[in-house]
Amino acid sequence: FTLWETVTGTLKPLALLSRKKGIELLYEEGVDVPERLRGDPVRLRQALTNLVGNAVKFTESGCVRVSVDVATSDDDGIRLRFAVQDTGIGIREDKLDRIFGAFDQVDGTMSRRFGGTGLGLAITSGIVDLLGGTVEVDSEVGRGSTFSFEADFALPGEHKRPSAPRERDLSGIRVLVVDDYEPNLRIMEDFAECLGMVA
Ligand code: ADP
């Protein structure tokens, strides 16, 4: 499957929700992440839908940033690290290991305010386990949370990421990137630089 299509396809409906709340939803793929992978895109979708859905739900302003990078790779396959970072309400340290249990929510007031069943993270942990990883969380009350996991994939025959269009050498070309949101500018700048352009 094509990673970019799977992830952006998963994020699309969530982007509608985040737009309604006025939150930016960003996706950043490491430049060395292969374009095509062999594995289970359905499970990957489910895990991301749950984590990004929560991130959007528990964030009132700022952004939700989804990223994927290479953790390790060898001849047999590749291990990717996915992270979903939000600037939301955060989770108290003493509640952090409880949230992965079934029907556990940080508190009843919150569940009334935000809805949900308390099952999402329990299910996500099970799915990520099947992908060969573990869900981890790092959070600070009032600043936000990062949920991350690693997952194993095999590489199809041609594992190289298709390189930038070769007909036209873009190196050294100066580009002006315009957006009203700083993290977007940074993503576009990295992307331009990876193609050899100067942003
Ligand atoms: P649900 O979202 O249906 O309540 P989950 O199992 O997905 O259930 O999450 C359990 C609890 O963990 C949530 O109720 C919430 O208190 C907390 N939580 C999960 N994700 C986040 C997040 N991104 N920011 C803040 N709290 C979160």
Side-chain angles (χ1 to χ4, degrees), residues 1-18 25-27 40-53 56 66 82 84 149:
F1 66 95
T2 307
L3 184 66
W4 178 272
E5 274 168 22
T6 299
V7 179
T8 54
T10 306
L11 296 182
K12 229 173 233 169
L14 297 159
L16 291 175
L17 197 66
S18 70
L25 181 57
L26 312 171
Y27 175 48
D40 191 337
V42 178
R43 282 182 183 148
L44 179 60
R45 244 175 214 281
Q46 288 170 329
L48 288 174
T49 299
N50 280 328
L51 295 180
V52 179
V56 173
V66 181
F82 295 84
V84 179
F149 64 88

PDB file of all heavy atoms in Angstrom, residues 1-18 25-27 40-53 56 66 82 84 149:
ATOM      1  N   PHE A   1       0.839  -1.181   0.000  1.00  0.00           N
ATOM      2  CA  PHE A   1       0.000   0.000   0.000  1.00  0.00           C
ATOM      3  C   PHE A   1       0.879   1.238   0.000  1.00  0.00           C
ATOM      4  O   PHE A   1       2.074   1.165   0.285  1.00  0.00           O
ATOM      5  CB  PHE A   1      -0.946  -0.008   1.217  1.00  0.00           C
ATOM      6  CG  PHE A   1      -0.260   0.115   2.553  1.00  0.00           C
ATOM      7  CD1 PHE A   1      -0.113   1.363   3.178  1.00  0.00           C
ATOM      8  CD2 PHE A   1       0.249  -0.999   3.205  1.00  0.00           C
ATOM      9  CE1 PHE A   1       0.517   1.477   4.404  1.00  0.00           C
ATOM     10  CE2 PHE A   1       0.886  -0.889   4.439  1.00  0.00           C
ATOM     11  CZ  PHE A   1       1.011   0.353   5.039  1.00  0.00           C
ATOM     12  N   THR A   2       0.275   2.350  -0.371  1.00  0.00           N
ATOM     13  CA  THR A   2       1.022   3.609  -0.397  1.00  0.00           C
ATOM     14  C   THR A   2       0.776   4.345   0.907  1.00  0.00           C
ATOM     15  O   THR A   2      -0.367   4.674   1.235  1.00  0.00           O
ATOM     16  CB  THR A   2       0.545   4.461  -1.588  1.00  0.00           C
ATOM     17  OG1 THR A   2       0.647   3.652  -2.751  1.00  0.00           O
ATOM     18  CG2 THR A   2       1.398   5.697  -1.769  1.00  0.00           C
ATOM     19  N   LEU A   3       1.844   4.583   1.651  1.00  0.00           N
ATOM     20  CA  LEU A   3       1.694   5.138   2.993  1.00  0.00           C
ATOM     21  C   LEU A   3       0.996   6.504   2.972  1.00  0.00           C
ATOM     22  O   LEU A   3       0.072   6.759   3.741  1.00  0.00           O
ATOM     23  CB  LEU A   3       3.074   5.261   3.655  1.00  0.00           C
ATOM     24  CG  LEU A   3       3.030   5.740   5.100  1.00  0.00           C
ATOM     25  CD1 LEU A   3       2.364   4.718   6.001  1.00  0.00           C
ATOM     26  CD2 LEU A   3       4.426   6.064   5.609  1.00  0.00           C
ATOM     27  N   TRP A   4       1.465   7.374   2.078  1.00  0.00           N
ATOM     28  CA  TRP A   4       0.906   8.732   2.033  1.00  0.00           C
ATOM     29  C   TRP A   4      -0.611   8.700   1.824  1.00  0.00           C
ATOM     30  O   TRP A   4      -1.372   9.376   2.504  1.00  0.00           O
ATOM     31  CB  TRP A   4       1.599   9.528   0.916  1.00  0.00           C
ATOM     32  CG  TRP A   4       1.080  10.903   0.758  1.00  0.00           C
ATOM     33  CD1 TRP A   4       0.030  11.298  -0.024  1.00  0.00           C
ATOM     34  CD2 TRP A   4       1.565  12.079   1.409  1.00  0.00           C
ATOM     35  NE1 TRP A   4      -0.164  12.647   0.103  1.00  0.00           N
ATOM     36  CE2 TRP A   4       0.767  13.152   0.976  1.00  0.00           C
ATOM     37  CE3 TRP A   4       2.608  12.318   2.314  1.00  0.00           C
ATOM     38  CZ2 TRP A   4       0.969  14.456   1.411  1.00  0.00           C
ATOM     39  CZ3 TRP A   4       2.803  13.619   2.747  1.00  0.00           C
ATOM     40  CH2 TRP A   4       2.001  14.664   2.313  1.00  0.00           C
ATOM     41  N   GLU A   5      -1.040   7.843   0.857  1.00  0.00           N
ATOM     42  CA  GLU A   5      -2.481   7.756   0.579  1.00  0.00           C
ATOM     43  C   GLU A   5      -3.249   7.212   1.768  1.00  0.00           C
ATOM     44  O   GLU A   5      -4.333   7.690   2.092  1.00  0.00           O
ATOM     45  CB  GLU A   5      -2.731   6.831  -0.621  1.00  0.00           C
ATOM     46  CG  GLU A   5      -2.628   7.567  -1.933  1.00  0.00           C
ATOM     47  CD  GLU A   5      -2.592   6.614  -3.113  1.00  0.00           C
ATOM     48  OE1 GLU A   5      -3.043   5.450  -2.979  1.00  0.00           O
ATOM     49  OE2 GLU A   5      -2.096   7.041  -4.167  1.00  0.00           O
ATOM     50  N   THR A   6      -2.681   6.191   2.413  1.00  0.00           N
ATOM     51  CA  THR A   6      -3.377   5.597   3.557  1.00  0.00           C
ATOM     52  C   THR A   6      -3.525   6.621   4.675  1.00  0.00           C
ATOM     53  O   THR A   6      -4.604   6.793   5.244  1.00  0.00           O
ATOM     54  CB  THR A   6      -2.605   4.358   4.075  1.00  0.00           C
ATOM     55  OG1 THR A   6      -2.555   3.413   3.019  1.00  0.00           O
ATOM     56  CG2 THR A   6      -3.264   3.744   5.278  1.00  0.00           C
ATOM     57  N   VAL A   7      -2.428   7.324   4.985  1.00  0.00           N
ATOM     58  CA  VAL A   7      -2.497   8.253   6.115  1.00  0.00           C
ATOM     59  C   VAL A   7      -3.367   9.464   5.772  1.00  0.00           C
ATOM     60  O   VAL A   7      -4.247   9.837   6.543  1.00  0.00           O
ATOM     61  CB  VAL A   7      -1.090   8.694   6.572  1.00  0.00           C
ATOM     62  CG1 VAL A   7      -1.201   9.685   7.722  1.00  0.00           C
ATOM     63  CG2 VAL A   7      -0.273   7.489   7.005  1.00  0.00           C
ATOM     64  N   THR A   8      -3.165  10.049   4.598  1.00  0.00           N
ATOM     65  CA  THR A   8      -3.964  11.243   4.295  1.00  0.00           C
ATOM     66  C   THR A   8      -5.448  10.871   4.127  1.00  0.00           C
ATOM     67  O   THR A   8      -6.318  11.633   4.523  1.00  0.00           O
ATOM     68  CB  THR A   8      -3.455  11.992   3.044  1.00  0.00           C
ATOM     69  OG1 THR A   8      -3.386  11.067   1.958  1.00  0.00           O
ATOM     70  CG2 THR A   8      -2.079  12.591   3.282  1.00  0.00           C
ATOM     71  N   GLY A   9      -5.707   9.657   3.607  1.00  0.00           N
ATOM     72  CA  GLY A   9      -7.098   9.197   3.500  1.00  0.00           C
ATOM     73  C   GLY A   9      -7.732   9.059   4.882  1.00  0.00           C
ATOM     74  O   GLY A   9      -8.914   9.343   5.081  1.00  0.00           O
ATOM     75  N   THR A  10      -6.923   8.620   5.851  1.00  0.00           N
ATOM     76  CA  THR A  10      -7.413   8.469   7.217  1.00  0.00           C
ATOM     77  C   THR A  10      -7.652   9.837   7.861  1.00  0.00           C
ATOM     78  O   THR A  10      -8.594  10.020   8.630  1.00  0.00           O
ATOM     79  CB  THR A  10      -6.359   7.696   8.061  1.00  0.00           C
ATOM     80  OG1 THR A  10      -6.064   6.482   7.389  1.00  0.00           O
ATOM     81  CG2 THR A  10      -6.865   7.404   9.451  1.00  0.00           C
ATOM     82  N   LEU A  11      -6.786  10.779   7.530  1.00  0.00           N
ATOM     83  CA  LEU A  11      -6.871  12.088   8.189  1.00  0.00           C
ATOM     84  C   LEU A  11      -7.982  12.969   7.626  1.00  0.00           C
ATOM     85  O   LEU A  11      -8.444  13.884   8.298  1.00  0.00           O
ATOM     86  CB  LEU A  11      -5.525  12.825   8.079  1.00  0.00           C
ATOM     87  CG  LEU A  11      -4.350  12.175   8.797  1.00  0.00           C
ATOM     88  CD1 LEU A  11      -3.107  13.037   8.650  1.00  0.00           C
ATOM     89  CD2 LEU A  11      -4.654  11.945  10.273  1.00  0.00           C
ATOM     90  N   LYS A  12      -8.395  12.695   6.398  1.00  0.00           N
ATOM     91  CA  LYS A  12      -9.357  13.590   5.732  1.00  0.00           C
ATOM     92  C   LYS A  12     -10.623  13.858   6.556  1.00  0.00           C
ATOM     93  O   LYS A  12     -10.956  15.009   6.811  1.00  0.00           O
ATOM     94  CB  LYS A  12      -9.713  13.050   4.356  1.00  0.00           C
ATOM     95  CG  LYS A  12      -9.605  14.124   3.292  1.00  0.00           C
ATOM     96  CD  LYS A  12      -9.799  13.550   1.922  1.00  0.00           C
ATOM     97  CE  LYS A  12      -8.625  13.955   1.043  1.00  0.00           C
ATOM     98  NZ  LYS A  12      -8.614  13.221  -0.215  1.00  0.00           N
ATOM     99  N   PRO A  13     -11.347  12.796   6.979  1.00  0.00           N
ATOM    100  CA  PRO A  13     -12.561  13.081   7.763  1.00  0.00           C
ATOM    101  C   PRO A  13     -12.251  13.792   9.084  1.00  0.00           C
ATOM    102  O   PRO A  13     -13.041  14.609   9.554  1.00  0.00           O
ATOM    103  CB  PRO A  13     -13.172  11.698   8.025  1.00  0.00           C
ATOM    104  CG  PRO A  13     -12.175  10.695   7.593  1.00  0.00           C
ATOM    105  CD  PRO A  13     -11.178  11.361   6.708  1.00  0.00           C
ATOM    106  N   LEU A  14     -11.096  13.485   9.665  1.00  0.00           N
ATOM    107  CA  LEU A  14     -10.721  14.124  10.932  1.00  0.00           C
ATOM    108  C   LEU A  14     -10.343  15.586  10.707  1.00  0.00           C
ATOM    109  O   LEU A  14     -10.491  16.429  11.594  1.00  0.00           O
ATOM    110  CB  LEU A  14      -9.554  13.360  11.577  1.00  0.00           C
ATOM    111  CG  LEU A  14      -9.913  11.907  11.942  1.00  0.00           C
ATOM    112  CD1 LEU A  14      -8.674  11.049  12.077  1.00  0.00           C
ATOM    113  CD2 LEU A  14     -10.728  11.884  13.227  1.00  0.00           C
ATOM    114  N   ALA A  15      -9.868  15.876   9.494  1.00  0.00           N
ATOM    115  CA  ALA A  15      -9.507  17.259   9.175  1.00  0.00           C
ATOM    116  C   ALA A  15     -10.755  18.142   9.137  1.00  0.00           C
ATOM    117  O   ALA A  15     -10.713  19.309   9.524  1.00  0.00           O
ATOM    118  CB  ALA A  15      -8.773  17.318   7.841  1.00  0.00           C
ATOM    119  N   LEU A  16     -11.881  17.568   8.712  1.00  0.00           N
ATOM    120  CA  LEU A  16     -13.137  18.328   8.696  1.00  0.00           C
ATOM    121  C   LEU A  16     -13.500  18.740  10.115  1.00  0.00           C
ATOM    122  O   LEU A  16     -13.867  19.877  10.391  1.00  0.00           O
ATOM    123  CB  LEU A  16     -14.269  17.481   8.107  1.00  0.00           C
ATOM    124  CG  LEU A  16     -14.165  17.170   6.623  1.00  0.00           C
ATOM    125  CD1 LEU A  16     -15.282  16.230   6.199  1.00  0.00           C
ATOM    126  CD2 LEU A  16     -14.209  18.463   5.814  1.00  0.00           C
ATOM    127  N   LEU A  17     -13.357  17.764  11.016  1.00  0.00           N
ATOM    128  CA  LEU A  17     -13.673  18.000  12.429  1.00  0.00           C
ATOM    129  C   LEU A  17     -12.732  19.047  13.027  1.00  0.00           C
ATOM    130  O   LEU A  17     -13.155  19.959  13.747  1.00  0.00           O
ATOM    131  CB  LEU A  17     -13.507  16.665  13.160  1.00  0.00           C
ATOM    132  CG  LEU A  17     -14.130  16.522  14.525  1.00  0.00           C
ATOM    133  CD1 LEU A  17     -15.643  16.572  14.385  1.00  0.00           C
ATOM    134  CD2 LEU A  17     -13.704  15.172  15.131  1.00  0.00           C
ATOM    135  N   SER A  18     -11.437  18.909  12.720  1.00  0.00           N
ATOM    136  CA  SER A  18     -10.480  19.841  13.322  1.00  0.00           C
ATOM    137  C   SER A  18     -10.682  21.242  12.748  1.00  0.00           C
ATOM    138  O   SER A  18     -10.560  22.231  13.458  1.00  0.00           O
ATOM    139  CB  SER A  18      -9.034  19.359  13.134  1.00  0.00           C
ATOM    140  OG  SER A  18      -8.665  19.453  11.797  1.00  0.00           O
ATOM    141  N   LEU A  25      -4.471  20.559  11.442  1.00  0.00           N
ATOM    142  CA  LEU A  25      -4.086  19.143  11.429  1.00  0.00           C
ATOM    143  C   LEU A  25      -2.954  18.989  10.421  1.00  0.00           C
ATOM    144  O   LEU A  25      -3.134  19.255   9.238  1.00  0.00           O
ATOM    145  CB  LEU A  25      -5.296  18.277  11.044  1.00  0.00           C
ATOM    146  CG  LEU A  25      -5.086  16.773  11.002  1.00  0.00           C
ATOM    147  CD1 LEU A  25      -4.577  16.225  12.328  1.00  0.00           C
ATOM    148  CD2 LEU A  25      -6.394  16.065  10.641  1.00  0.00           C
ATOM    149  N   LEU A  26      -1.782  18.599  10.910  1.00  0.00           N
ATOM    150  CA  LEU A  26      -0.593  18.550  10.057  1.00  0.00           C
ATOM    151  C   LEU A  26      -0.116  17.113   9.897  1.00  0.00           C
ATOM    152  O   LEU A  26      -0.233  16.314  10.816  1.00  0.00           O
ATOM    153  CB  LEU A  26       0.546  19.353  10.692  1.00  0.00           C
ATOM    154  CG  LEU A  26       0.212  20.756  11.194  1.00  0.00           C
ATOM    155  CD1 LEU A  26       1.375  21.315  11.979  1.00  0.00           C
ATOM    156  CD2 LEU A  26      -0.117  21.653  10.025  1.00  0.00           C
ATOM    157  N   TYR A  27       0.440  16.826   8.729  1.00  0.00           N
ATOM    158  CA  TYR A  27       1.040  15.507   8.528  1.00  0.00           C
ATOM    159  C   TYR A  27       2.434  15.677   7.953  1.00  0.00           C
ATOM    160  O   TYR A  27       2.624  16.375   6.961  1.00  0.00           O
ATOM    161  CB  TYR A  27       0.175  14.665   7.577  1.00  0.00           C
ATOM    162  CG  TYR A  27       0.808  13.325   7.236  1.00  0.00           C
ATOM    163  CD1 TYR A  27       1.326  12.516   8.245  1.00  0.00           C
ATOM    164  CD2 TYR A  27       0.888  12.879   5.934  1.00  0.00           C
ATOM    165  CE1 TYR A  27       1.917  11.299   7.945  1.00  0.00           C
ATOM    166  CE2 TYR A  27       1.469  11.650   5.621  1.00  0.00           C
ATOM    167  CZ  TYR A  27       1.981  10.876   6.633  1.00  0.00           C
ATOM    168  OH  TYR A  27       2.570   9.674   6.339  1.00  0.00           O
ATOM    169  N   ASP A  40      -0.351  -4.155   6.825  1.00  0.00           N
ATOM    170  CA  ASP A  40      -1.794  -4.062   7.010  1.00  0.00           C
ATOM    171  C   ASP A  40      -2.257  -2.613   7.143  1.00  0.00           C
ATOM    172  O   ASP A  40      -2.248  -2.042   8.225  1.00  0.00           O
ATOM    173  CB  ASP A  40      -2.178  -4.858   8.257  1.00  0.00           C
ATOM    174  CG  ASP A  40      -3.677  -5.043   8.376  1.00  0.00           C
ATOM    175  OD1 ASP A  40      -4.423  -4.220   7.787  1.00  0.00           O
ATOM    176  OD2 ASP A  40      -4.106  -5.993   9.040  1.00  0.00           O
ATOM    177  N   PRO A  41      -2.685  -2.010   6.012  1.00  0.00           N
ATOM    178  CA  PRO A  41      -3.098  -0.611   6.074  1.00  0.00           C
ATOM    179  C   PRO A  41      -4.395  -0.422   6.868  1.00  0.00           C
ATOM    180  O   PRO A  41      -4.639   0.656   7.401  1.00  0.00           O
ATOM    181  CB  PRO A  41      -3.307  -0.229   4.599  1.00  0.00           C
ATOM    182  CG  PRO A  41      -3.589  -1.505   3.909  1.00  0.00           C
ATOM    183  CD  PRO A  41      -2.824  -2.561   4.657  1.00  0.00           C
ATOM    184  N   VAL A  42      -5.198  -1.478   6.976  1.00  0.00           N
ATOM    185  CA  VAL A  42      -6.480  -1.339   7.697  1.00  0.00           C
ATOM    186  C   VAL A  42      -6.219  -1.144   9.192  1.00  0.00           C
ATOM    187  O   VAL A  42      -6.770  -0.255   9.830  1.00  0.00           O
ATOM    188  CB  VAL A  42      -7.385  -2.571   7.451  1.00  0.00           C
ATOM    189  CG1 VAL A  42      -8.677  -2.440   8.244  1.00  0.00           C
ATOM    190  CG2 VAL A  42      -7.679  -2.700   5.967  1.00  0.00           C
ATOM    191  N   ARG A  43      -5.313  -1.939   9.734  1.00  0.00           N
ATOM    192  CA  ARG A  43      -4.980  -1.789  11.158  1.00  0.00           C
ATOM    193  C   ARG A  43      -4.298  -0.450  11.415  1.00  0.00           C
ATOM    194  O   ARG A  43      -4.554   0.206  12.422  1.00  0.00           O
ATOM    195  CB  ARG A  43      -4.058  -2.921  11.614  1.00  0.00           C
ATOM    196  CG  ARG A  43      -4.834  -4.184  11.839  1.00  0.00           C
ATOM    197  CD  ARG A  43      -3.918  -5.293  12.341  1.00  0.00           C
ATOM    198  NE  ARG A  43      -4.698  -6.512  12.477  1.00  0.00           N
ATOM    199  CZ  ARG A  43      -4.220  -7.719  12.289  1.00  0.00           C
ATOM    200  NH1 ARG A  43      -2.957  -7.888  11.957  1.00  0.00           N
ATOM    201  NH2 ARG A  43      -4.989  -8.767  12.439  1.00  0.00           N
ATOM    202  N   LEU A  44      -3.432  -0.073  10.497  1.00  0.00           N
ATOM    203  CA  LEU A  44      -2.747   1.208  10.661  1.00  0.00           C
ATOM    204  C   LEU A  44      -3.769   2.346  10.695  1.00  0.00           C
ATOM    205  O   LEU A  44      -3.723   3.238  11.538  1.00  0.00           O
ATOM    206  CB  LEU A  44      -1.753   1.409   9.508  1.00  0.00           C
ATOM    207  CG  LEU A  44      -0.981   2.726   9.536  1.00  0.00           C
ATOM    208  CD1 LEU A  44      -0.158   2.841  10.814  1.00  0.00           C
ATOM    209  CD2 LEU A  44      -0.081   2.838   8.312  1.00  0.00           C
ATOM    210  N   ARG A  45      -4.731   2.289   9.781  1.00  0.00           N
ATOM    211  CA  ARG A  45      -5.803   3.269   9.736  1.00  0.00           C
ATOM    212  C   ARG A  45      -6.576   3.338  11.053  1.00  0.00           C
ATOM    213  O   ARG A  45      -6.880   4.410  11.554  1.00  0.00           O
ATOM    214  CB  ARG A  45      -6.821   2.812   8.692  1.00  0.00           C
ATOM    215  CG  ARG A  45      -7.000   3.688   7.519  1.00  0.00           C
ATOM    216  CD  ARG A  45      -7.957   2.955   6.574  1.00  0.00           C
ATOM    217  NE  ARG A  45      -7.612   3.235   5.209  1.00  0.00           N
ATOM    218  CZ  ARG A  45      -7.935   4.361   4.589  1.00  0.00           C
ATOM    219  NH1 ARG A  45      -8.618   5.293   5.219  1.00  0.00           N
ATOM    220  NH2 ARG A  45      -7.560   4.572   3.354  1.00  0.00           N
ATOM    221  N   GLN A  46      -6.908   2.138  11.586  1.00  0.00           N
ATOM    222  CA  GLN A  46      -7.694   2.090  12.824  1.00  0.00           C
ATOM    223  C   GLN A  46      -6.922   2.737  13.967  1.00  0.00           C
ATOM    224  O   GLN A  46      -7.479   3.519  14.744  1.00  0.00           O
ATOM    225  CB  GLN A  46      -8.028   0.637  13.185  1.00  0.00           C
ATOM    226  CG  GLN A  46      -9.077   0.024  12.262  1.00  0.00           C
ATOM    227  CD  GLN A  46      -9.225  -1.474  12.480  1.00  0.00           C
ATOM    228  OE1 GLN A  46      -8.264  -2.163  12.834  1.00  0.00           O
ATOM    229  NE2 GLN A  46     -10.419  -1.988  12.253  1.00  0.00           N
ATOM    230  N   ALA A  47      -5.631   2.400  14.061  1.00  0.00           N
ATOM    231  CA  ALA A  47      -4.820   2.951  15.154  1.00  0.00           C
ATOM    232  C   ALA A  47      -4.746   4.472  15.019  1.00  0.00           C
ATOM    233  O   ALA A  47      -4.961   5.208  15.995  1.00  0.00           O
ATOM    234  CB  ALA A  47      -3.423   2.334  15.132  1.00  0.00           C
ATOM    235  N   LEU A  48      -4.473   4.951  13.815  1.00  0.00           N
ATOM    236  CA  LEU A  48      -4.345   6.404  13.625  1.00  0.00           C
ATOM    237  C   LEU A  48      -5.680   7.119  13.839  1.00  0.00           C
ATOM    238  O   LEU A  48      -5.725   8.203  14.430  1.00  0.00           O
ATOM    239  CB  LEU A  48      -3.795   6.709  12.230  1.00  0.00           C
ATOM    240  CG  LEU A  48      -2.316   6.382  12.028  1.00  0.00           C
ATOM    241  CD1 LEU A  48      -1.923   6.580  10.570  1.00  0.00           C
ATOM    242  CD2 LEU A  48      -1.415   7.227  12.928  1.00  0.00           C
ATOM    243  N   THR A  49      -6.763   6.494  13.360  1.00  0.00           N
ATOM    244  CA  THR A  49      -8.081   7.128  13.536  1.00  0.00           C
ATOM    245  C   THR A  49      -8.369   7.348  15.016  1.00  0.00           C
ATOM    246  O   THR A  49      -8.817   8.424  15.429  1.00  0.00           O
ATOM    247  CB  THR A  49      -9.192   6.245  12.908  1.00  0.00           C
ATOM    248  OG1 THR A  49      -8.927   6.120  11.527  1.00  0.00           O
ATOM    249  CG2 THR A  49     -10.569   6.870  13.094  1.00  0.00           C
ATOM    250  N   ASN A  50      -8.087   6.339  15.834  1.00  0.00           N
ATOM    251  CA  ASN A  50      -8.357   6.480  17.268  1.00  0.00           C
ATOM    252  C   ASN A  50      -7.486   7.548  17.904  1.00  0.00           C
ATOM    253  O   ASN A  50      -7.974   8.400  18.649  1.00  0.00           O
ATOM    254  CB  ASN A  50      -8.115   5.142  17.990  1.00  0.00           C
ATOM    255  CG  ASN A  50      -9.305   4.202  17.828  1.00  0.00           C
ATOM    256  OD1 ASN A  50     -10.443   4.648  17.739  1.00  0.00           O
ATOM    257  ND2 ASN A  50      -9.029   2.920  17.777  1.00  0.00           N
ATOM    258  N   LEU A  51      -6.187   7.506  17.614  1.00  0.00           N
ATOM    259  CA  LEU A  51      -5.274   8.449  18.280  1.00  0.00           C
ATOM    260  C   LEU A  51      -5.507   9.882  17.808  1.00  0.00           C
ATOM    261  O   LEU A  51      -5.525  10.816  18.611  1.00  0.00           O
ATOM    262  CB  LEU A  51      -3.814   8.035  18.050  1.00  0.00           C
ATOM    263  CG  LEU A  51      -3.412   6.691  18.675  1.00  0.00           C
ATOM    264  CD1 LEU A  51      -1.940   6.401  18.377  1.00  0.00           C
ATOM    265  CD2 LEU A  51      -3.650   6.672  20.183  1.00  0.00           C
ATOM    266  N   VAL A  52      -5.697  10.044  16.500  1.00  0.00           N
ATOM    267  CA  VAL A  52      -5.904  11.407  15.981  1.00  0.00           C
ATOM    268  C   VAL A  52      -7.294  11.910  16.400  1.00  0.00           C
ATOM    269  O   VAL A  52      -7.463  13.080  16.737  1.00  0.00           O
ATOM    270  CB  VAL A  52      -5.716  11.468  14.454  1.00  0.00           C
ATOM    271  CG1 VAL A  52      -5.949  12.870  13.929  1.00  0.00           C
ATOM    272  CG2 VAL A  52      -4.314  10.990  14.070  1.00  0.00           C
ATOM    273  N   GLY A  53      -8.275  10.997  16.417  1.00  0.00           N
ATOM    274  CA  GLY A  53      -9.621  11.377  16.866  1.00  0.00           C
ATOM    275  C   GLY A  53      -9.574  11.909  18.292  1.00  0.00           C
ATOM    276  O   GLY A  53     -10.145  12.957  18.607  1.00  0.00           O
ATOM    277  N   VAL A  56      -7.802  15.392  18.433  1.00  0.00           N
ATOM    278  CA  VAL A  56      -8.681  16.493  18.006  1.00  0.00           C
ATOM    279  C   VAL A  56      -9.737  16.756  19.087  1.00  0.00           C
ATOM    280  O   VAL A  56     -10.037  17.890  19.430  1.00  0.00           O
ATOM    281  CB  VAL A  56      -9.348  16.173  16.642  1.00  0.00           C
ATOM    282  CG1 VAL A  56     -10.394  17.217  16.281  1.00  0.00           C
ATOM    283  CG2 VAL A  56      -8.287  16.079  15.545  1.00  0.00           C
ATOM    284  N   VAL A  66       0.696  14.880  13.030  1.00  0.00           N
ATOM    285  CA  VAL A  66       0.930  13.449  12.848  1.00  0.00           C
ATOM    286  C   VAL A  66       2.249  13.324  12.094  1.00  0.00           C
ATOM    287  O   VAL A  66       2.460  14.007  11.087  1.00  0.00           O
ATOM    288  CB  VAL A  66      -0.208  12.811  12.019  1.00  0.00           C
ATOM    289  CG1 VAL A  66       0.017  11.323  11.851  1.00  0.00           C
ATOM    290  CG2 VAL A  66      -1.554  13.091  12.674  1.00  0.00           C
ATOM    291  N   PHE A  82       5.321   6.167  14.413  1.00  0.00           N
ATOM    292  CA  PHE A  82       4.227   7.122  14.197  1.00  0.00           C
ATOM    293  C   PHE A  82       4.025   7.925  15.474  1.00  0.00           C
ATOM    294  O   PHE A  82       4.071   7.365  16.571  1.00  0.00           O
ATOM    295  CB  PHE A  82       2.928   6.377  13.875  1.00  0.00           C
ATOM    296  CG  PHE A  82       2.975   5.628  12.574  1.00  0.00           C
ATOM    297  CD1 PHE A  82       3.535   4.352  12.509  1.00  0.00           C
ATOM    298  CD2 PHE A  82       2.486   6.200  11.412  1.00  0.00           C
ATOM    299  CE1 PHE A  82       3.600   3.665  11.311  1.00  0.00           C
ATOM    300  CE2 PHE A  82       2.546   5.518  10.206  1.00  0.00           C
ATOM    301  CZ  PHE A  82       3.103   4.247  10.151  1.00  0.00           C
ATOM    302  N   VAL A  84       1.515  11.102  17.240  1.00  0.00           N
ATOM    303  CA  VAL A  84       0.375  12.022  17.159  1.00  0.00           C
ATOM    304  C   VAL A  84       0.514  12.989  18.331  1.00  0.00           C
ATOM    305  O   VAL A  84       0.369  12.600  19.483  1.00  0.00           O
ATOM    306  CB  VAL A  84      -0.967  11.261  17.252  1.00  0.00           C
ATOM    307  CG1 VAL A  84      -2.135  12.235  17.184  1.00  0.00           C
ATOM    308  CG2 VAL A  84      -1.075  10.204  16.165  1.00  0.00           C
ATOM    309  N   PHE A 149       3.746   5.158  18.503  1.00  0.00           N
ATOM    310  CA  PHE A 149       3.921   3.704  18.435  1.00  0.00           C
ATOM    311  C   PHE A 149       4.828   3.368  17.259  1.00  0.00           C
ATOM    312  O   PHE A 149       4.981   4.176  16.335  1.00  0.00           O
ATOM    313  CB  PHE A 149       2.573   2.974  18.299  1.00  0.00           C
ATOM    314  CG  PHE A 149       1.806   3.260  17.041  1.00  0.00           C
ATOM    315  CD1 PHE A 149       2.007   2.513  15.886  1.00  0.00           C
ATOM    316  CD2 PHE A 149       0.881   4.295  16.999  1.00  0.00           C
ATOM    317  CE1 PHE A 149       1.287   2.781  14.715  1.00  0.00           C
ATOM    318  CE2 PHE A 149       0.151   4.566  15.837  1.00  0.00           C
ATOM    319  CZ  PHE A 149       0.358   3.811  14.691  1.00  0.00           C
TER     320      PHE A 149
END
